């Protein structure tokens, strides 16, 4: 009896601050009734599903113009899943702050929809703790599209940005930036500089990295996040997840 209780405890999900918790591997089938954009759809039962671990460019909404690649991503997802049954699988946290269900999605024939969108260049990886179970696989699919400059990676808005090319026009943009470490402002590498871009990992998010980056001067890295400008007029980018930092 004690062994059974212990086994049950080991499989309980950890408590987090938001969302509905689930056991990794939990799954169910739904039928797609509507596709809102490249990463969100509605089921026949009215449940709104957000594809987990990625983000596609925004589509046109009211008076806001869509981003490059947004319409293409929506049409691709629509053609692939609309009216069909798909299998949902969940990570540790099942809902986002908008009450949408977060899921990895598979077709009847075994096609992994999230991975397919990334590999075709319709999306970029976008992950946060605690939902990181599929992160490595998601990054692998995105990296393929990036290396082949497919889809969004072949547009001026999303293509890999060299750190030395960061400028005022990039403020507020989510970008994937490549550069060499010019300066390390923290012994363990929690803060460093790529050309004129200051990069940092806040204390609140360092636990998810397991260990400090321990970067070396001149080392090539790829970082991802929103480019901002500080009160001292310095460009900076904050890393929140291990997926936001790729070491070369």
């Amino acid at each position: 009896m004690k062994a059974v209780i212990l086994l049950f405890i080991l499989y309980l999900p950890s408590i987090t601050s938001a969302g509905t918790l689930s056991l990794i591997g939990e799954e169910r089938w739904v039928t797609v009734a509507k596709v809102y954009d490249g990463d969100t759809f509605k089921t026949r039962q009215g449940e709104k599903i957000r594809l987990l671990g990625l983000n596609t460019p925004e589509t046109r909404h009211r008076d806001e113009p869509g981003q490059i690649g947004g319409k293409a991503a929506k049409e691709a997802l629509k053609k692939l899943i609309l009216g069909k049954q798909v299998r949902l699988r969940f990570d540790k946290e099942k809902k986002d702050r908008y009450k949408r269900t977060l899921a990895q999605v598979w077709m009847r024939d075994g096609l992994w929809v999230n991975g397919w969108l990334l590999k075709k260049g319709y999306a970029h990886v976008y992950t946060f703790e605690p939902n990181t179970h599929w992160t490595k696989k998601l990054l692998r699919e995105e990296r393929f599209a990036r290396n082949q400059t497919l889809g969004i990676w072949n547009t001026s808005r999303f293509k890999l940005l060299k750190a030395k090319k960061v400028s005022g026009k990039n403020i507020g943009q989510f970008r994937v930036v490549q550069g060499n470490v010019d300066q390390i402002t923290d012994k363990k590498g929690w803060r460093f500089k790529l050309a004129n871009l200051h990069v940092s990992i806040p204390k609140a998010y360092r636990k998810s990295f397991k260990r400090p980056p321990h970067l070396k001067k001149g080392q090539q890295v790829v970082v991802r996040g929103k480019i901002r400008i500080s009160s001292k007029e310095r460009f900076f980018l904050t890393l929140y997840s291990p997926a936001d930092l790729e070491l070369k």
Side-chain angles (χ1 to χ4, degrees):
M1 183 64 180
K2 289 182 178 179
V4 173
I5 293 172
L6 178 60
L7 185 63
F8 175 74
I9 292 172
L10 288 173
Y11 276 88
L12 281 174
S14 58
I15 297 175
T16 56
S17 59
T20 303
L21 299 178
S22 67
L23 294 174
I24 294 174
E26 180 188 349
E27 61 180 62
R28 57 187 166 86
W29 289 89
V30 298
T31 301
V32 180
K34 181 177 181 178
V35 172
Y36 291 102
D37 53 33
D39 52 41
T40 312
F41 64 90
K42 184 172 72 173
T43 70
R44 188 173 288 174
Q45 291 73 32
E47 182 181 16
K48 191 174 283 190
I49 309 296
R50 175 64 163 82
L51 296 178
L52 178 60
L54 60 82
N55 196 42
T56 59
E58 298 298 325
T59 54
R60 184 174 180 178
H61 181 67
R62 295 177 183 173
D63 295 330
E64 296 180 10
Q67 294 178 325
I68 295 173
K71 184 177 180 181
K74 177 182 178 179
E75 291 304 314
L77 184 63
K78 188 175 180 180
K79 184 177 180 180
L80 184 66
I81 69 173
L82 186 61
K84 299 176 183 176
Q85 277 197 323
V86 296
R87 178 165 58 104
L88 308 181
R89 293 189 67 188
F90 312 105
D91 209 323
K92 289 183 179 179
E93 201 165 272
K94 203 172 179 180
K95 297 279 187 179
D96 67 8
R97 59 179 176 172
Y98 304 110
K99 307 301 180 184
R100 298 176 299 187
T101 298
L102 302 170
Q104 298 292 333
V105 180
W106 275 265
M107 305 296 293
R108 278 281 182 190
D109 62 4
L111 177 70
W112 180 28
V113 176
N114 305 54
W116 181 84
L117 286 167
L118 288 164
K119 194 169 186 176
K120 293 292 184 180
Y122 290 117
H124 63 78
V125 170
Y126 188 68
T127 65
F128 290 95
E129 292 287 339
N131 291 339
T132 57
H133 183 71
W134 282 277
T135 298
K136 288 184 179 179
K137 292 180 180 179
L138 292 165
L139 282 170
R140 181 187 64 202
E141 302 304 319
E142 184 206 87
R143 203 171 290 121
F144 175 87
R146 264 179 22 210
N147 291 340
Q148 301 294 321
T149 59
L150 301 177
I152 62 173
W153 305 109
N154 195 31
T155 68
S156 59
R157 173 60 180 80
F158 289 99
K159 71 178 181 180
L160 191 65
L161 179 64
K162 299 292 185 181
K164 61 184 179 182
K165 296 287 187 179
V166 172
S167 66
K169 68 179 182 181
N170 303 125
I171 296 172
Q173 294 181 347
F174 174 93
R175 297 301 297 254
V176 178
V177 183
Q178 183 181 68
N180 295 90
V181 178
D182 290 328
Q183 185 180 351
I184 301 169
T185 54
D186 178 286
K187 288 183 179 180
K188 295 183 178 180
W190 297 119
R191 296 189 301 274
F192 55 95
K193 188 179 176 185
L194 307 175
N196 63 340
L197 180 66
H198 295 258
V199 183
S200 67
I201 304 170
K203 288 183 179 180
Y205 297 92
R206 291 176 186 176
K207 285 185 179 180
S208 65
F209 283 77
K210 295 183 180 179
R211 60 179 180 272
H214 291 299
L215 302 172
K216 296 179 181 179
K217 192 172 181 180
Q219 183 176 0
Q220 188 180 85
V221 300
V222 174
V223 296
R224 68 178 65 227
K226 186 172 287 189
I227 296 174
R228 297 182 172 90
I229 191 163
S230 70
S231 57
K232 296 181 180 180
E233 297 190 351
R234 295 175 178 173
F235 297 116
F236 74 94
L237 186 150
T238 304
L239 308 181
Y240 298 103
S241 162
D244 296 338
L245 174 64
E246 297 176 47
L247 305 179
K248 298 293 184 179

